[in-house]
Amino acid sequence: MSLETLTAAIRDIPDFPKPGIMFKDISPILQDGALFAEVIDIIGARYENLQIDSIVVIDARGFIFGSALAYKLGCGISLVRKQGKLPWKTHSVSYDLEYGSAAVEIHIDAVSAGDRVLIVDDLLATGGTAKAGADLIEKIGARIIALEFVIELSSLNGRDKLDGYTVNSLIEVSD
């Protein structure tokens, strides 16, 4: 797989979910079994020797990539969800994102202090959601090995909010 093939598979949807937003739709990647497998293999190779205890996946498309990576790496996943979606005791963090504000939560026993955690989502935009996920993991006392994204919208400078963390993305696009 080339980065050009991966980039070409991402569908741009203008004005979604709000006017002025260019939504990056990863559905075509998921619909192509070989392309999806290649994405998971490339990302998985980065972490196969790093002894990841848990992959923390961010609601909702991070669930897809993180689940496949957890299977590949032989570890479990823990969910970071929008506020009110988890059924048990949670830690919560509020944050700003590119088109509003929100809060995310994680179960209080999702990871343990000292665990080696990989945070996974499909897209890094302004960094608000990823930073909130990292804040939740830090609150628990687990160690963040890296944050991994399939797509990074480099023009939004989300990486700046994640200063001090290892941040990886397969492809960078400017809008």
Side-chain angles (χ1 to χ4, degrees):
M1 173 196 72
S2 69
L3 292 181
E4 293 81 21
T5 302
L6 181 59
T7 302
I10 297 165
R11 181 172 33 215
D12 286 345
I13 301 177
D15 299 321
F16 183 83
K18 293 185 174 185
I21 302 293
M22 180 63 74
F23 186 82
K24 300 295 183 181
D25 183 13
I26 50 96
S27 297
I29 295 169
L30 302 174
Q31 293 164 337
D32 183 327
L35 186 57
F36 180 59
E38 187 70 18
V39 167
I40 297 306
D41 288 345
I42 290 169
I43 295 172
R46 290 184 184 164
Y47 304 101
E48 65 188 359
N49 296 318
L50 294 180
Q51 300 160 340
I52 302 297
D53 294 310
S54 183
I55 294 178
V56 171
V57 293
I58 298 179
D59 197 345
R61 290 176 303 275
F63 295 178
I64 299 165
F65 293 100
S67 295
L69 284 167
Y71 174 79
K72 184 162 190 68
L73 297 175
C75 63
I77 65 168
S78 298
L79 308 178
V80 170
R81 300 230 38 211
K82 294 175 180 83
Q83 190 171 36
K85 298 291 185 180
L86 291 172
W88 199 60
K89 299 174 190 173
T90 62
H91 294 293
S92 181
V93 171
S94 297
Y95 67 100
D96 293 323
L97 65 164
E98 64 268 27
Y99 47 84
S101 62
V104 291
E105 298 177 326
I106 192 169
H107 281 146
I108 61 171
D109 62 350
V111 297
S112 298
D115 280 357
R116 297 171 56 83
V117 171
L118 172 63
I119 298 175
V120 174
D121 203 357
D122 69 319
L123 177 79
L124 174 60
T126 64
T129 307
K131 178 68 167 91
D135 289 348
L136 287 170
I137 299 311
E138 297 279 349
K139 183 183 261 190
I140 294 170
R143 180 174 171 211
I144 298 169
I145 301 304
L147 292 96
E148 182 70 43
F149 305 92
V150 177
I151 306 165
E152 180 176 352
L153 302 178
S154 57
S155 62
L156 296 179
N157 302 313
R159 189 177 283 261
D160 294 348
K161 281 191 181 156
L162 303 172
D163 190 39
Y165 297 108
T166 299
V167 177
N168 295 309
S169 57
L170 280 184
I171 62 169
E172 290 184 37
V173 294
S174 59
D175 65 352

